[in-house]
Amino acid sequence: MSIQLDEAYYSLLHELQAIDFVLVELQLYLDTHPNDAAALQQFNQFVELRKRVVHHYETTYEPLLQFGRSNMPVSSWQWIEAPWPWQV
């Protein structure tokens, strides 16, 4: 089965990659600067942004993660449908 993916699919994946990069960098910074309130605030803002983008992606396309980390639609088990995020 070949699924055609639109440009928004790739755009959302790219946005998630960028957000994850920022979160990793902020986490590393906060490991050495735990009292930096501005960095912690920025980290928390990106956590919330990531939640919104993941929700948008998963409700539009498919779950990003399994093992209970993503909500599944009640009507079907979509995890087995290709492509998976790491396949694109």
Side-chain angles (χ1 to χ4, degrees):
M1 170 197 296
S2 177
I3 297 175
Q4 295 295 325
L5 301 170
D6 58 11
E7 189 62 33
Y9 176 88
Y10 295 102
S11 178
L12 281 172
L13 281 180
H14 184 264
E15 185 175 1
L16 280 171
Q17 289 173 335
I19 292 168
D20 285 346
F21 177 82
V22 170
L23 286 170
V24 167
E25 292 298 311
L26 283 168
Q27 178 181 343
L28 291 171
Y29 176 81
L30 285 165
D31 284 347
T32 59
H33 300 81
N35 298 319
D36 188 333
L40 183 56
Q41 180 182 6
Q42 189 177 28
F43 179 85
N44 288 329
Q45 288 171 342
F46 273 90
V47 166
E48 291 304 315
L49 175 60
R50 187 180 194 286
K51 288 177 186 177
R52 290 191 304 272
V53 173
V54 165
H55 178 72
H56 181 213
Y57 176 91
E58 290 184 335
T59 56
T60 306
Y61 298 104
E62 70 260 341
L64 284 168
L65 301 170
Q66 202 31 274
F67 309 109
R69 293 188 181 111
S70 294
N71 291 330
M72 297 298 297
V74 176
S75 61
S76 68
W77 180 256
Q78 295 178 343
W79 181 247
I80 60 172
E81 295 178 12
W84 289 338
W86 55 86
Q87 293 177 312
V88 294

